[in-house]
């Protein structure tokens, strides 16, 4: 049997074994037997050098064609076997209904926060943000809250033990190491962001500041040591209490319905003068058995606060107000326990 005949016979045997391999393991064994470094076809290729010179061109051409045919058969059978392996072991009824992926929903507090932001954006307010870890100056001193004020007591505020704390940079988001003898704390209100904004820009200022705040309250139906708050600040020339009342009335009618009524009661806050508590009345309060319900605090920005940030109180006036987002959500949805927002119970959260 001459060399070309031997190649053809080996080709037919190899093709039959490759195409008839029952599984991937058998196919791999067939590959090794014929195309491996010590395989039969590889050994035959090594004999090419011993052929007469005139037979080498045709023999080489035939060997290359056979090698291509064997590799093609190997690839085709491997694809067939891999597809068979991927198929389900049992018949599948593709007419059966599929599994629906559950759709996520925004947390009710997030929904209320976004509604509040939309209300303020309608009248030209921008959203500001700042660090939750604050220093005493921005949280208290700059807001005209004296050292002996009850809000600064350790029984009401979460102070950090290490005074050389790392606070986030509100502009870049990076962590800055602050070597300061002043103790740091978890902010008790978002008013500190108002101070930071006024320090960085001249009036007019028209911002709202939603965010998480912290106070040392025992958790019960109406209190939580962590809660959400939104504050508003408007500073410009000739800003009056009428501007404050008009804005408050617009916002709460947007949030609570057009029949909502608002009233102001005199109050005291260290960073506003005059100061007011805001009550509102609507069908929601009447469902709770109350005609009026306290909802927010507000007032005209104290002149000392303007001086602390470098504003001339003889030129600029402004107002500020703030309220708890949980309070709005509880009234809107008829929820009687603030702790439900933080228990992560999906049966509760899926209602909103």
């Amino acid at each position: 049997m001459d060399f070309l005949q031997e190649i053809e016979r080996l080709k037919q045997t190899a093709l039959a074994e490759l195409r008839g391999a029952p599984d991937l393991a058998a196919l791999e064994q067939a590959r090794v037997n014929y195309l491996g470094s010590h395989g039969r076809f590889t050994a035959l290729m090594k004999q090419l050098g011993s052929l007469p010179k005139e037979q080498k061109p045709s023999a080489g051409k035939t060997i290359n064609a056979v090698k291509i045919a064997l590799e093609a058969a190997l690839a085709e059978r491997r694809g067939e076997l891999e597809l068979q392996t991927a198929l389900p072991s049992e018949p599948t009824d593709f007419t059966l209904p599929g599994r629906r992926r559950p759709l996520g929903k925004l947390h009710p507090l997030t929904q209320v926060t976004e509604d509040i932001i939309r209300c303020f954006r309608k009248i030209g307010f921008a959203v500001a943000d700042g660090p939750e870890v604050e220093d005493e100056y921005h949280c208290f001193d700059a807001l005209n809250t004296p050292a002996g004020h009850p809000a600064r007591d350790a029984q009401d505020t979460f102070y950090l033990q290490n005074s050389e704390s790392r606070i986030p940079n509100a502009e870049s988001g990076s962590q800055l190491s602050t070597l300061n003898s002043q103790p740091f704390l978890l902010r008790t209100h978002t008013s500190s962001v108002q101070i930071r904004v006024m320090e960085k820009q001249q009036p007019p200022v028209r911002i709202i500041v939603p965010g998480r705040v912290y106070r040392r309250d025992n958790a019960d139906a109406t209190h939580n040591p962590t809660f959400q708050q939104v504050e508003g600040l408007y500073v410009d020339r000739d800003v009056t209490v009428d501007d404050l009342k008009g804005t408050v009335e617009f916002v709460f009618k947007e949030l609570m319905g057009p029949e909502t009524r608002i009233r102001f009661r005199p109050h005291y806050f260290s960073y506003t003068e005059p100061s007011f508590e805001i009550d509102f009345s609507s069908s929601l309060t009447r469902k709770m058995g109350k005609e009026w319900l306290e909802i927010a605090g507000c007032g005209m920005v104290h002149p000392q606060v303007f001086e602390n940030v470098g504003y001339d109180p003889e030129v600029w006036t402004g107002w500020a107000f703030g309220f708890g987002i949980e309070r709005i959500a509880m009234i809107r949805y008829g929820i009687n326990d603030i702790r439900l927002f933080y228990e992560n119970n999906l049966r509760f959260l899926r209602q909103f």
Side-chain angles (χ1 to χ4, degrees), residues 78-267:
R78 179 180 286 122
E80 294 172 352
L81 292 173
E82 287 177 347
L83 180 60
Q84 291 177 11
T85 304
L87 292 175
S89 57
E90 298 179 0
T92 301
D93 184 355
F94 292 100
T95 65
L96 291 173
R99 295 186 181 94
R100 291 178 179 265
R101 291 183 177 271
L103 296 178
K105 300 178 68 175
L106 293 177
H107 193 281
L109 294 181
T110 303
Q111 295 181 38
V112 173
T113 301
E114 291 188 352
D115 287 345
I116 293 169
I117 291 173
R118 277 192 291 269
C119 293
F120 279 98
R121 280 183 169 157
K122 286 181 180 180
I123 50 178
F125 279 72
V127 179
D129 192 17
E132 294 182 12
V133 177
E134 266 295 0
D135 55 49
E136 282 195 310
Y137 175 77
H138 288 92
C139 200
F140 297 125
D141 295 334
L143 288 161
N144 198 37
T145 304
H149 195 280
R152 301 181 67 155
D153 194 277
Q155 292 181 344
D156 293 321
T157 302
F158 291 103
Y159 284 90
L160 304 183
Q161 290 184 349
N162 184 4
S163 62
E164 297 181 0
S165 300
R166 303 178 78 84
I167 10 185
N169 185 324
E171 295 180 356
S172 66
S174 61
Q175 298 286 323
L176 298 180
S177 179
T178 307
L179 300 179
N180 194 327
S181 59
Q182 196 176 67
F184 294 116
L185 51 100
L186 298 180
R187 66 184 183 189
T188 59
H189 45 205
T190 58
S191 303
S192 56
V193 182
Q194 298 179 19
I195 297 297
R196 291 183 176 275
V197 170
M198 288 190 287
E199 286 177 336
K200 289 186 289 188
Q201 74 175 71
Q202 289 298 305
V205 176
R206 189 181 293 171
I207 60 169
I208 59 167
V209 190
R212 186 185 293 109
V213 297
Y214 307 84
R215 296 181 190 174
R216 295 181 71 109
D217 289 330
N218 293 323
D220 58 28
T222 57
H223 298 85
N224 203 64
T226 302
F227 59 97
Q228 309 288 320
Q229 187 183 52
V230 62
E231 298 201 12
L233 173 69
Y234 178 37
V235 180
D236 207 335
R237 299 178 188 271
D238 302 321
V239 176
T240 67
V241 174
D242 283 345
D243 300 313
L244 168 61
K245 290 184 175 181
T247 303
V248 169
E249 185 174 3
F250 169 80
V251 169
F252 283 107
K253 283 189 175 184
E254 286 281 307
L255 289 174
M256 300 298 189
E259 80 286 355
T260 301
R261 293 184 297 152
I262 298 294
R263 74 179 182 186
F264 288 70
R265 290 181 290 105
H267 196 70

Side-chain angles (χ1 to χ4, degrees), residues 327-339:
R327 190 77 180 275
I328 300 294
M330 291 173 73
I331 295 170
R332 176 188 277 189
Y333 299 127
I335 297 168
N336 58 10
D337 195 325
I338 193 174
R339 292 169 292 190

